[in-house]
Amino acid sequence: MNQHVAFLRAINVGGRAVVKMTDLRETFAAAGCRDVRTYIQSGNVIFESPTENTAALFQKVRVQLRKLLGQEPGVVFRSVREFEGMVRSAPFQSLEAEPGIKLCVVFLSQKPRSRPRFPLVSAPEAVEAVGMKNLDVFVVSRRKKNGFHGFPNGFIEKQLGVPATTRNWSTVLKIVELVRPEPGR
């Protein structure tokens, strides 16, 4: 069986689209996914595909999510293998020691019309997209004048013209840790 991760866009954020993680797990199971787990409340779902036809499974998941959410779901899928490759590539290696920054990955839902030239910078949002691999954009977020970190999602969606969802690098690392097989398994 192949393991995958799904990232739902804009759930449980600021009181909008509140979804219980038990309901989310049940929704994925109803679509045919196995060993469904969630990580934190922001819509990160780890699951196994019982079939090689992942496109059909992902479509079933979207149908079930539409029923749960009452609207078209914003969801991005990645294989665990893709995830592990991203971590191995260490896209933030030269930046991790910089104090006061947040490292993020913006997961694109589809290929952009054209590949941008990096870095992409938003001074108002204090974010800098430093690179891209496949459909994943690596972003550094610094503190804005108001003291808050900039949030890259809207900026990246506008620059690349495709829907996306963003996760902190620490979330990415934790998910990879969660999917690693336990010793002796």
Side-chain angles (χ1 to χ4, degrees):
M1 284 200 208
N2 296 316
Q3 285 187 305
H4 299 277
V5 181
F7 298 106
L8 277 77
R9 183 174 191 260
I11 69 162
N12 297 339
V13 178
R16 277 187 24 185
V18 177
V19 177
K20 292 179 184 176
M21 293 302 101
T22 53
D23 294 343
L24 195 54
R25 286 189 296 273
E26 290 170 3
T27 297
F28 274 72
C33 301
R34 297 206 178 127
D35 191 23
V36 181
R37 298 175 281 164
T38 55
Y39 175 67
I40 62 177
Q41 298 293 311
S42 58
N44 307 300
V45 184
I46 304 162
F47 62 97
E48 290 184 0
S49 169
T51 177
E52 292 298 316
N53 188 353
T54 56
L57 180 65
F58 295 167
Q59 185 55 36
K60 288 179 184 178
V61 168
R62 285 184 181 92
V63 168
Q64 293 297 321
L65 285 170
R66 193 175 309 117
K67 291 176 188 177
L68 175 67
L69 302 172
Q71 62 185 14
E72 192 63 35
V75 62
V76 174
F77 299 96
R78 296 292 186 269
S79 72
V80 166
R81 186 171 287 144
E82 289 172 309
F83 233 61
E84 290 169 333
M86 177 194 321
V87 171
R88 274 193 309 275
S89 74
F92 297 113
Q93 189 171 21
S94 64
L95 299 163
E96 288 174 332
E98 186 178 325
I101 62 171
K102 280 191 177 181
L103 305 174
C104 302
V105 181
V106 180
F107 297 99
L108 305 179
S109 62
Q110 60 195 39
K111 189 176 180 177
R113 282 174 256 135
S114 62
R115 187 166 179 98
R117 295 182 60 177
F118 289 96
L120 298 173
V121 178
S122 169
E125 274 303 305
V127 296
E128 177 183 8
V130 295
M132 179 175 164
K133 182 176 182 183
N134 301 320
L135 298 178
D136 306 321
V137 181
F138 307 105
V139 180
V140 177
S141 174
R142 294 178 172 83
R143 291 198 186 274
K144 299 187 289 186
K145 289 180 183 179
N146 66 8
F148 293 103
H149 281 91
F151 190 68
N153 207 78
F155 171 67
I156 296 299
E157 285 182 331
K158 184 176 180 182
Q159 292 294 310
L160 302 184
V162 299
T165 189
T166 299
R167 297 297 185 273
N168 288 326
W169 184 241
S170 58
T171 298
V172 170
L173 295 175
K174 183 62 178 181
I175 290 172
V176 168
E177 182 182 309
L178 290 171
V179 300
R180 284 195 178 119
E182 296 174 23
R185 245 181 101 180

